[in-house]
Amino acid sequence: MTDNIQITKDSIEQTYCLLHQKWRIYLHSTMEWQKDDIEYAVAQYVESMNKALYTALSAGNDRFLLSHTTFASDMPKAVETLEHMMAQEQP
């Protein structure tokens, strides 16, 4: 954890819902403007998301989910990591 900020179950689920939805649309989109809009929306979300969760997802990469050149490879990693985190939360 960074700066004593905890990663809550709610923050994991909220982030998963947003990224999973955006990734599915991005993956199947044939419109570059739509992909750009998704990248922008995700970048905006990253700015306000739980900092400890972002640190866990990014593994120290401060451009994770923020770089146009790596966005398409970052998104499935983020979704998969969040899926694993949610599975660990199950009783």
Side-chain angles (χ1 to χ4, degrees):
M1 309 281 168
T2 43
D3 300 327
N4 296 322
I5 299 173
Q6 293 186 346
I7 301 173
T8 64
K9 179 181 176 185
D10 288 344
S11 66
I12 294 168
E13 290 174 351
Q14 178 184 16
T15 302
Y16 174 79
C17 287
L18 179 109
L19 294 185
H20 182 266
Q21 176 197 41
K22 297 298 183 193
W23 175 236
R24 299 299 298 164
I25 296 167
Y26 185 95
L27 190 60
H28 298 288
S29 179
T30 58
M31 298 173 279
E32 288 305 314
W33 65 265
Q34 186 178 42
K35 290 182 175 185
D36 289 343
D37 284 355
I38 290 169
E39 289 181 35
Y40 179 76
V42 169
Q44 293 296 100
Y45 182 78
V46 164
E47 286 183 18
S48 65
M49 75 182 284
N50 180 300
K51 299 304 179 203
L53 180 54
Y54 180 73
T55 299
L57 292 176
S58 68
N61 176 1
D62 62 352
R63 298 299 302 152
F64 189 73
L65 297 173
L66 301 174
S67 170
H68 176 74
T69 57
T70 60
F71 186 83
S73 62
D74 289 348
M75 280 292 278
K77 291 176 192 172
V79 170
E80 183 178 336
T81 300
L82 290 162
E83 287 172 349
H84 288 293
M85 293 172 96
M86 287 190 304
Q88 291 176 349
E89 291 287 323
Q90 299 299 320

